[in-house]
Amino acid sequence: MAREKEESMQVSRRATRLSTFTANNNGIELGKPNDSYIPTLGDLVFGQELISLDDLLSRFPGRRVQILELLRLLGTLNSSMPPLFVYGSASTGKTSIIIQVFRHLSRPFVYTSCLSCYSPRILFESILNQLLLHKKNAFNGYSSAKRCEKPSDFVIFVREALINVIDSLKENAEKTSTSKLKGQVNGKMIYLIFDNFELVREWDKSSSILPFLFGLSDILKMPEVGMIFISSTSPDTYHSNTGYVAPIYVYFPECTEDDLRQIFMRNQANQKLYSSFLDVVLRPFCRITKRVDELSTAFSLLFKRYCEPLSDLGVLPNGEMKRRLFSHLKPHIAPSLNEIFRVASQPCLECGVNQETRRKGGARKSVGSGDLDDIGFHMSTSAKYLLVSAFLASRNPATLDASLFDTTGVSDSRKRKRKASEKSLEQKEAAEQELLMKGPGTFSLERLLAIFQCITSVGEDTVGEEEEGNDGLRVDEGSNALMSDILLQLTSLCNSNFIVKGGSCPLEGSTRYRSTLSEDLAMKVARSIKFPLSKYLYRR
């Protein structure tokens, strides 16, 4: 009995390394790592119990399309696959879904996160340790199986390790039966998963490491090896002067409000009580963020506040009880909204006058307000103009800038009405339609500042009377201080994820940016500064 208890406490290296993926209601209990445990080939498979496709789909509401697409791209057993690039905003389920897909397929893989592996050497050695079934412990002095710093050495070591693993997988496939057992390794393929791949761009040698990792599949030329890159930034942020074969892209969009409701309703003891709580908080919080991790943190505290008047948490709330619980929770909603999302900027002039009014009416507006001009957060006027400029630069083709703006910032109707040949119109329409299909595009800093200068001059007539002393609205060529202030505002917007900063374009040699603003929010921001955004937004 003692021996059986000791064996039950042992947990595989795979389960220990991937314990973070089971935090989101995956239902897998993990024990403590044992230094005396010797890794085996079965440790390359995640989870001891297989999950069915229906169970996999039910665990991730709103992700049916992405899960089926991943299964299609991974293909049947022992089929080769091109490199995959899975991207989407943070907390959209990319990593968890990929890990659970491999658990469903029971296929071996090697997982590395560029968050914990923050340098090429640590990344290379982490992959080699897993492929060589090497575990750092006190017996080996917590050292890696091989010391590897150069990409050339890594290619030699990883090819040798992959050959040994693939040979072992082939022997294992011949010995095992066709029935699926606990922890059984299926197939002869091995997959390398690189998570948090966007962090590689911040490494010292990112200009050479990025194309090396993207081209690793072509370098190895091993059809039994699959590559999967997981990133929170879009593919257009990975510019490189070295060419490589582009991977297949799989996009994970943000969760909708209905998806979030299904996610938070899972595993709730009192479904009706929690549903009444979500009716109050979900919509105002979704206007600020749709990240599951941020919402989960806020909701856990608010739900405790919501249930404070109740003596029995199993009660089914009626209309009167819902109103009483809402009245108790209402004063805590606005402070929680401010804690989730803050923009560091200088307040505009009217913010100081109406500060008390907004504080008193903040809870009411957050819960039931339908004011289209309320953007839900405070931001300086210059930052709002930068947001609108970035939105126009991302949504409009660059070829339309000259027709929409002149040097004074006023749209030129003569240029827009100028007749062109039928062939040029068709080519222009096809190019613009292609840009729309690709989604928000990237733009340079020079183009952003040019549009900013144009639209601020358009808004000067309206805003100048209300904020005559606000120097942040004007960009004078001879004022370095004002330009520095605008660049600081741009940095703040990038830190707040309103604008995404990408890599350097190989043709232009300058940093590229992309707006993440939705059209609804951009319209609200434009209305708050009384800028006619619809007149300058290209629509086919």
Side-chain angles (χ1 to χ4, degrees), residues 184-203:
Q184 176 179 315
V185 181
N186 289 333
K188 308 171 185 178
M189 288 278 295
I190 182 72
Y191 303 86
L192 304 183
I193 300 177
F194 300 86
D195 198 3
N196 302 115
F197 196 64
E198 70 279 356
L199 299 178
V200 179
R201 300 176 305 167
E202 301 176 4
W203 292 359

Side-chain angles (χ1 to χ4, degrees), residues 206-420:
S206 61
S207 59
S208 60
I209 294 296
L210 277 175
F212 168 74
L213 294 176
F214 275 127
L216 187 58
S217 179
D218 293 334
I219 296 174
L220 294 175
K221 297 186 182 301
M222 301 177 68
E224 300 87 358
V225 180
M227 302 282 181
I228 300 178
F229 305 95
I230 306 175
S231 171
S232 61
T233 58
S234 60
D236 54 9
T237 60
Y238 295 88
H239 289 289
S240 173
N241 295 325
T242 305
Y244 52 82
V245 178
I248 296 180
Y249 304 124
V250 180
Y251 176 58
F252 276 63
E254 283 189 340
C255 296
T256 63
E257 187 174 330
D258 292 336
D259 296 337
L260 291 172
R261 175 177 287 274
Q262 295 181 46
I263 292 173
F264 286 107
M265 287 296 295
R266 293 179 70 245
N267 302 326
Q268 293 296 334
N270 192 333
Q271 296 277 328
K272 291 188 176 180
L273 179 62
Y274 202 82
S275 178
S276 65
F277 167 72
L278 291 180
D279 291 339
V280 176
V281 299
L282 186 57
R283 178 162 295 179
F285 275 84
C286 283
R287 296 172 183 171
I288 293 180
T289 179
K290 292 184 178 180
R291 291 185 52 168
V292 178
D293 53 350
E294 294 179 347
L295 292 175
S296 179
T297 302
F299 288 177
S300 62
L301 298 176
L302 287 177
F303 186 64
K304 293 179 181 179
R305 295 282 188 182
Y306 187 74
C307 298
E308 282 179 353
L310 299 176
S311 58
D312 181 15
L313 296 182
V315 67
L316 299 180
N318 53 26
E320 178 63 28
M321 183 180 297
K322 290 180 181 179
R323 286 189 291 270
R324 182 163 57 90
L325 295 176
F326 169 70
S327 300
H328 178 75
L329 181 67
K330 184 169 64 173
H332 305 285
I333 295 180
S336 182
L337 288 170
N338 293 332
E339 286 296 326
I340 285 186
F341 184 68
R342 294 183 178 183
V343 178
S345 62
Q346 296 178 356
C348 52
L349 295 180
E350 68 269 18
C351 292
V353 178
N354 299 328
Q355 187 175 3
E356 287 296 326
T357 305
R358 293 187 180 184
R359 184 182 296 125
K360 293 179 181 178
R364 178 181 57 82
K365 289 183 179 180
S366 299
V367 176
S369 175
D371 188 4
L372 295 177
D373 294 334
D374 185 13
I375 60 177
F377 50 85
H378 303 301
M379 183 179 290
S380 66
T381 307
S382 59
K384 292 179 181 179
Y385 271 99
L386 272 178
L387 273 181
V388 174
S389 303
F391 179 78
L392 289 174
S394 282
R395 296 305 176 96
N396 290 345
T399 54
L400 293 181
D401 289 350
S403 60
L404 291 174
F405 307 104
D406 61 6
T407 56
T408 61
V410 183
S411 53
D412 191 348
S413 59
R414 291 181 303 169
K415 293 181 181 179
R416 287 202 297 261
K417 294 180 180 179
R418 185 181 60 184
K419 290 188 176 181

Side-chain angles (χ1 to χ4, degrees), residues 473-485:
L473 290 177
R474 298 172 177 81
V475 184
D476 297 332
E477 296 180 359
S479 177
N480 295 328
L482 291 180
M483 181 58 66
S484 300
D485 179 66

